Amino acid sequence: MSLGLRNGFVTLASQQVETLVQFYTRLLGQSPHSAIPGTYAEYQVPGLRLAIFQPGTSQTGEFKPLPPGAMSLCLEVEDIYGAIAHLTAIGYPPPGSLMTTSHGREIYGYDPDGNRLILHQGASEGATG
């Protein structure tokens, strides 16, 4: 027996939904695919459905903020340097330096709630610089 999965997506709970919606709208370069202002927003990007929601009052304890770095959202990009410039331009410059790993290049950034973003360019993508 299996779950019979059809799809999946990542959801981020936040007490500052509008701040996150503004951040991800600028980061992803698109408005939410669907939204309920102040409560919910959903983005559709290649390979990912990302939703942001504000937990109800009865769920607040269930969605306590995680320590920084406890959640990572990895986004594969075509141009790591362009992605770094974009993150910087929207006011969230990566605090560390670019890392070269066995699988490519990556850098960490953070959204307004402290969720870690891993911007990654694969080694086969011809990362230069």
Side-chain angles (χ1 to χ4, degrees), residues 61-124:
E62 189 176 341
F63 294 101
K64 293 177 185 170
L66 297 171
M71 196 288 299
S72 296
L73 179 61
C74 188
L75 301 171
E76 188 171 6
V77 299
E78 294 176 2
D79 173 12
I80 193 72
Y81 296 104
I84 292 168
H86 180 65
L87 198 56
T88 301
I90 66 171
Y92 291 85
S97 57
L98 184 64
M99 296 170 276
T100 300
T101 66
S102 62
H103 57 273
R105 292 185 177 173
E106 61 188 40
I107 194 157
Y108 298 158
Y110 297 88
D111 74 11
D113 271 355
N115 297 307
R116 182 171 59 178
L117 305 172
I118 302 173
L119 302 179
H120 166 77
Q121 181 178 351
S124 64

Side-chain angles (χ1 to χ4, degrees), residues 9-93:
F9 60 102
V10 173
T11 60
L12 301 176
S14 179
Q15 293 300 319
Q16 54 174 356
V17 169
E18 287 305 317
T19 299
L20 278 191
V21 168
Q22 290 172 14
F23 172 81
Y24 281 100
T25 295
R26 293 181 71 199
L27 178 70
L28 301 173
Q30 64 175 271
S31 295
H33 177 66
S34 63
I36 301 169
T39 304
Y40 183 84
E42 185 177 306
Y43 298 88
Q44 185 77 46
V45 297
L48 174 68
R49 212 164 103 197
L50 174 66
I52 299 163
F53 72 100
Q54 180 162 344
T57 306
S58 65
Q59 300 171 317
T60 303
E62 189 176 341
F63 294 101
K64 293 177 185 170
L66 297 171
M71 196 288 299
S72 296
L73 179 61
C74 188
L75 301 171
E76 188 171 6
V77 299
E78 294 176 2
D79 173 12
I80 193 72
Y81 296 104
I84 292 168
H86 180 65
L87 198 56
T88 301
I90 66 171
Y92 291 85

